Amino acid sequence: MSGDTLWCSDKVRSLVAARHAGGLVKVGRTARGWRQEDLGGRLGCSTSTISRLEARHCPSGLRLLRRAAEEVGVPTDVLTASLALSGTVTTRVSLDGPQVEEDPPMRRRTLLAAAGLAAPAQFLIGVDVALAGVPAPSGSAAPLDQRLTRARGLFDAGRHARLLEALPGLLGDAHVAARSRQELALARVSTTYSLLAQVLTKIGRYEQSRQAADRVIVYADLSGSPLAAAAAAREMSIVLRHQDQPAASQRLILKAAAQVEATGLTNSAQTSAYAQMLCTQAYSAARAGDRAQALATIGEAQRAARLLPEQAPAGRLFPLTPAAVALYAVGVHWALGDAGAALEAGTDLHEDQFPTPERRARMHTDLARAWWQMAKPEPAADALLHAVRASRGEVRDRPAVRRIVTDLAQRHPRTAGVRELTAAVTTSR
């Protein structure tokens, strides 16, 4: 049986459907005529280790699984599809350990029908299909990196519907490129899923975002890149926070911060990654009500940020700057219920410090939340108007921010700018 035929066979399909990753290794080993001790010798482990790996549906040692799969020729997309990442089953992390729950098809259709104005149902359905397995390639002849840059530009501009429309095909093409098993190609798949997770989180689609974040972690680990692994952990931590699992969120991001710190922070990229992990942890701690941890961590992030440039170099995975860390401090104080400290932390912030419309708008929405927390409708509305002018999607598409506009319209309909804000969140274009 040829390789292509083998990995499309009914047996392989059944193993993927059963999420039996270890069984796929056994299929590849048997096809090569190897005994377990042969594979163990190539991997430098015992026959009993190989036996346990092949018997388990989801082996605990992902790195060993990846090496074994590479050795016996399991395609990356087949391996990933077997790792409990597809279909209508999602894994939730809780204090009591992983729990698997089914997402009823009718409920999923209801969620899609309730999509936000900037995420038409047909685009979310396309995303849902892409997350149900390996997405189909688009057939585009444009270079993948160029298209990924354009997709990032759509996110930065707040054009969320266009991004959701483009991502399934981009993911399909990234999967095709990843068949080379090269570290960069695998990291690119992780980055693309990360972009999908980010936009889904932004528009409040947390269950789908969780599926995307699962794949971010797997492909980052497959790539072997420590910074990609840190980015993946951060993405999952954010999703867990939105799914009201603060303890799990903080454990994950603290572990990621420790792993980045272990690199020695010998260059600006590593320092930027470390500071980003701290910022995310500080905000998660603040949302969990842990004031001491939140303030200590954001303080440490600010000290680390002193070593960062005022403008991040192009292409940096974590484009953090001192101003970006100050903006995180605004969010931390707001989450702790201290609007005055939040506004003080943002005193010196201005649009020129942020390179993208999304970040500039985020600055204004974070300040607007603080003003609204202080029961100051006029400056809250003014800040939101500035956000709309920077990137309307940041106000229209984020449920929490849109709710402030709704509350302003209901409680303070005559406040200057409220009519314009209402129009901005009730039209799709």
Side-chain angles (χ1 to χ4, degrees):
M1 184 181 294
S2 70
D4 290 342
T5 304
L6 173 64
W7 300 114
C8 293
S9 65
D10 290 341
K11 182 174 184 179
V12 166
R13 290 178 187 277
S14 67
L15 288 169
V16 170
R19 297 176 175 83
H20 199 323
L24 294 173
V25 172
K26 182 177 180 179
V27 167
R29 175 182 62 77
T30 303
R32 292 174 182 254
W34 295 349
R35 298 167 299 174
Q36 289 181 338
E37 63 187 76
D38 297 326
L39 179 57
R42 291 171 177 269
L43 298 175
C45 59
S46 66
T47 300
S48 60
T49 298
I50 298 299
S51 178
R52 288 194 298 271
L53 183 146
E54 292 183 348
R56 294 175 180 171
H57 282 238
C58 294
S60 57
L62 185 55
R63 292 191 182 277
L64 179 60
L65 173 65
R66 175 175 63 83
R67 290 176 56 214
E70 289 178 354
E71 198 69 40
V72 302
V74 181
T76 301
D77 52 355
V78 174
L79 176 64
T80 305
S82 73
L83 292 174
L85 300 173
S86 59
T88 58
V89 177
T90 56
T91 304
R92 292 188 179 278
V93 176
S94 71
L95 293 176
D96 300 321
Q99 298 175 340
V100 177
E101 61 182 39
E102 294 190 3
D103 192 3
M106 181 56 71
R107 183 161 180 258
R108 291 173 70 80
R109 287 195 292 272
T110 302
L111 288 171
L112 289 171
L117 290 171
Q122 67 267 29
F123 296 157
L124 285 171
I125 290 172
V127 167
D128 215 37
V129 171
L131 288 172
V134 177
S138 70
S140 172
L144 194 57
D145 281 340
Q146 185 181 96
R147 293 174 56 213
L148 185 54
T149 298
R150 284 203 297 264
R152 170 55 65 179
L154 291 173
F155 180 88
D156 289 340
R159 302 178 67 180
H160 305 135
R162 287 283 304 278
L163 178 57
L164 289 167
E165 182 181 20
L167 275 171
L170 182 58
L171 281 166
D173 295 337
H175 272 282
V176 171
R179 291 173 185 169
S180 67
R181 299 183 183 276
Q182 294 179 353
E183 177 181 327
L184 181 59
L186 291 165
R188 192 183 288 117
V189 178
S190 181
T191 298
T192 309
Y193 274 114
S194 179
L195 186 56
L196 176 59
Q198 288 173 45
V199 68
L200 288 170
T201 297
K202 189 177 287 289
I203 67 173
R205 316 303 297 183
Y206 303 127
E207 293 185 13
Q208 289 168 300
S209 180
R210 172 59 189 271
Q211 287 182 286
D214 276 336
R215 295 195 177 189
V216 175
I217 285 181
V218 169
Y219 275 98
D221 193 272
L222 290 171
S223 76
S225 166
L227 291 187
R234 176 176 177 265
E235 208 60 58
M236 180 60 79
S237 173
I238 292 170
V239 175
L240 290 171
R241 185 178 72 222
H242 282 287
Q243 290 187 322
D244 296 322
Q245 298 180 67
S249 172
Q250 291 188 65
R251 283 198 302 270
L252 190 60
I253 198 66
L254 281 171
K255 180 179 178 181
Q259 290 173 336
V260 174
E261 188 177 20
T263 65
L265 307 182
T266 57
N267 57 53
S268 180
Q270 292 171 349
T271 301
S272 178
Y274 178 63
Q276 180 66 80
M277 298 303 108
L278 294 176
C279 287
T280 302
Q281 163 58 12
Y283 188 70
S284 294
R287 292 305 301 263
D290 189 342
R291 173 177 292 272
Q293 177 71 29
L295 295 179
T297 308
I298 195 63
E300 187 177 350
Q302 289 172 316
R303 287 189 290 275
R306 294 171 188 162
L307 303 174
L308 298 177
E310 294 297 325
Q311 295 294 331
R316 173 159 289 181
L317 184 59
F318 298 100
L320 207 68
T321 63
V325 176
L327 184 56
Y328 266 99
V330 172
V332 166
H333 289 295
W334 169 82
L336 291 172
D338 193 344
L343 292 169
E344 184 178 354
T347 299
D348 295 327
L349 295 179
H350 53 83
E351 284 196 4
D352 291 344
Q353 295 169 309
F354 299 94
T356 68
E358 186 265 347
R359 286 291 92 185
R360 291 193 286 272
R362 186 60 180 255
M363 179 193 76
H364 292 301
T365 59
D366 280 7
L367 293 172
R369 291 191 307 179
W371 285 117
W372 185 242
Q373 192 176 67
M374 290 187 75
K376 300 286 187 180
E378 292 84 2
D382 183 64
L384 288 173
L385 278 175
H386 280 86
V388 166
R389 290 160 189 165
S391 173
R392 186 156 63 109
E394 279 297 299
V395 177
R396 179 194 59 200
D397 302 340
R398 291 171 59 199
V401 178
R402 195 166 63 234
R403 279 196 296 273
I404 296 178
V405 176
T406 301
D407 289 345
L408 276 167
Q410 291 175 348
R411 303 179 196 177
H412 307 280
R414 297 188 180 182
T415 297
V418 168
R419 285 188 179 182
E420 185 179 342
L421 286 171
T422 301
V425 302
T426 54
T427 55
S428 60
R429 293 289 182 268

